[in-house]
Amino acid sequence: MGREEMTAYKKPTVEISEVEVVLRKHFSSDVTGMTPLEGGGNISTVFSFTSFDKEYVIKFCDLAGSFETEKFISTLLSSQGIPFPLCLELGNFKSLNYIISEKINGHNLNSCSYEQQHRMLPEVIQILTRMNHVKLGTTKGYGMINLSGNGTYNSWMEHIIATHAEDLADGFWEGWHSLFKTSCLEKDVFDECYNRLLAYSTYNEPHRYFIHGDFHQYNILSNGQRITGVIDSNGKYGDFLIDLATLDWHIKTHLKLDVVQRYQNYQQEMGITLPNFKERLIGAKYYNGLIGLRFYAKMGWNDSYFELRDELLSLI
C-alpha cells in the first residue's frame, strides 16, 4: 500500500437498499427518485430522494456527533432568513450517523458558466454578509460550534492552539502529527505558517460572529439566474473574514476574479466598518491555510497542497 493510500480518508459506503431501510422509519409513503449525490462534502455520503413531491437529502457519516451541530446551525440560519437546508431528522444506522434535510434546488455554483458566476457574485457577497451577521442570541464561546450551540473555547486564540494540538481526540484529525512522516506535510513549513497565524490572529481575536467555515462555489447553490441556497456549514464563532478568505481563495483559483475589493465596497455601502481589515484577512488566510495544508496532505491531494503552501509562504 502506498503512502497516500495509508493516510487518505475514505467516505463510508452505503448501499441504496440500506438507505431505503433508514427512510422507512421516517416516511410512511413511497420514497422515489433515490439518487447518490457526488458533491456532498468530503466526509459524508449523500443521497437525494422525493416523498409527496417534495425533495429531501440524507447524509451519512461515520464520525461521531457529526450532525447534531448541523441541526443547530440549520435552525439558527433558516430561522433568520438565510437559505440553508432545514434539518428534519437525525439518527443512527449501524456504525453511521445520518441527517435528513429539505433539499434546496439548484446546482453548485461552480457548475455555472464564468458569465453566470460573475453576474451572481454580488448576490453571493450579500448572502455571505447577511449570514455572518445573524443574531447569535445567548450563545457564547469561540471556535467550533458544539452540540449545545456554543463555541467550544473561551477565546479565538484558545481555539487556534487547541485545533493544532498534537493529541486531538477528533476522529478525523486524531494523530495528525503522523502526517509529517506519512504524507507531503512539511513540518518546517507548517511551523512557520503556524507562528505567522499566532501573530496575526491577535487582530481576529476581538470579533465574534457566525462563520460558515466552508463558504465557496461547491457549497453555494444556484439555478443559473440567482443563488438558491447555501449548504454544508462547518460552523464556528469568530471573525467573519475567515469566510471571505475561503471565498477569495476559490474565486481566484476558479474565476481569476478579485472578490476582496467587491466585498469591501459592499460593506461600505451597508455601513459596516472593517477595522484592521488587511491584518485580519491575513490572519484568516493563515487560519484557513493551515486547515487546508493538513486536509490536502491527509487526502493525498499533493498538487493542491503545494499550490496552497506556496501561496501561504508568499503572503507576507
Side-chain angles (χ1 to χ4, degrees):
M1 192 191 283
R3 278 195 333 180
E4 288 177 19
E5 290 175 299
M6 288 175 65
T7 58
Y9 176 81
K10 297 282 192 292
K11 292 198 265 191
T13 302
V14 186
E15 301 298 332
I16 282 186
S17 58
E18 295 178 305
V19 183
E20 288 167 345
V21 168
V22 171
L23 293 181
R24 277 199 287 274
K25 290 189 211 169
H26 302 287
F27 292 85
S28 53
S29 69
D30 282 349
V31 168
T32 58
M34 178 85 66
T35 314
L37 292 183
E38 280 308 309
N42 292 305
I43 59 174
S44 298
T45 300
V46 188
F47 298 84
S48 67
F49 63 95
T50 303
S51 179
F52 284 119
D53 293 331
K54 197 163 169 51
E55 290 187 275
Y56 301 90
V57 167
I58 182 166
K59 296 201 277 190
F60 293 88
C61 184
D62 58 6
L63 302 177
S66 33
F67 294 132
E68 281 85 348
T69 298
E70 185 168 331
K71 185 169 187 184
F72 170 83
I73 291 168
S74 159
T75 305
L76 177 76
L77 297 181
S78 54
S79 69
Q80 297 188 54
I82 305 301
F84 193 86
L86 186 60
C87 167
L88 305 172
E89 301 283 352
L90 290 177
N92 304 98
F93 175 74
K94 298 184 177 174
S95 62
L96 304 176
N97 310 301
Y98 65 82
I99 185 169
I100 300 173
S101 305
E102 292 180 349
K103 185 180 183 191
I104 293 178
N105 282 317
H107 301 283
N108 69 49
L109 186 58
N110 201 60
S111 65
C112 293
S113 70
Y114 176 90
E115 290 73 21
Q116 289 172 318
Q117 292 190 59
H118 189 273
R119 194 175 65 246
M120 287 183 278
L121 201 49
E123 193 182 1
V124 170
I125 292 170
Q126 287 169 25
I127 289 173
L128 173 60
T129 305
R130 280 173 42 217
M131 180 172 62
N132 287 155
H133 286 83
V134 293
K135 292 182 176 67
L136 302 180
T138 58
T139 64
K140 53 187 188 292
Y142 291 78
M144 298 304 296
I145 298 173
N146 61 28
L147 307 187
S148 66
N150 291 316
T152 310
Y153 300 97
N154 294 319
S155 71
W156 183 246
M157 201 60 86
E158 196 181 303
H159 162 64
I160 284 175
I161 291 166
T163 303
H164 296 90
E166 185 171 357
D167 56 347
L168 285 178
D170 178 304
F172 188 75
W173 289 118
E174 194 171 349
W176 71 272
H177 267 224
S178 65
L179 292 172
F180 292 129
K181 296 191 180 72
T182 62
S183 77
C184 59
L185 191 63
E186 303 152 288
K187 190 170 191 318
D188 57 341
V189 170
F190 195 90
D191 290 347
E192 171 64 27
C193 291
Y194 180 61
N195 288 330
R196 294 183 191 182
L197 169 64
L198 292 178
Y200 278 89
S201 289
T202 56
Y203 294 100
N204 304 110
E205 181 96 55
H207 305 281
R208 183 180 181 272
Y209 295 87
F210 176 79
I211 301 169
H212 178 282
D214 213 7
F215 191 76
H216 52 70
Q217 294 100 308
Y218 290 95
N219 289 334
I220 301 167
L221 301 182
S222 168
N223 60 10
Q225 301 301 313
R226 51 178 296 274
I227 304 302
T228 54
V230 178
I231 57 172
D232 285 347
S233 168
N234 186 20
K236 298 161 190 166
Y237 297 127
D239 189 346
F240 53 70
L241 290 189
I242 282 156
D243 278 340
L244 174 62
T246 304
L247 183 65
D248 179 47
W249 164 254
H250 283 268
I251 293 282
K252 270 194 314 203
T253 304
H254 295 280
L255 300 182
K256 308 292 185 273
L257 291 174
D258 177 14
V259 79
V260 172
Q261 190 57 57
R262 294 156 193 259
Y263 179 89
Q264 287 178 284
N265 294 345
Y266 181 69
Q267 306 309 299
Q268 205 168 358
E269 280 174 39
M270 298 300 291
I272 298 169
T273 55
L274 299 168
N276 300 313
F277 178 80
K278 183 184 171 193
E279 294 83 0
R280 285 165 62 190
L281 188 59
I282 290 173
K285 286 182 174 182
Y286 277 115
Y287 175 79
N288 288 343
L290 284 170
I291 293 171
L293 289 182
R294 283 198 302 191
F295 183 75
Y296 292 153
K298 187 173 175 70
M299 299 298 281
W301 298 351
N302 294 20
D303 290 350
S304 299
Y305 169 86
F306 286 111
E307 184 185 352
L308 176 57
R309 156 205 191 262
D310 292 346
E311 168 149 332
L312 290 176
L313 290 175
S314 66
L315 267 182
I316 56 173

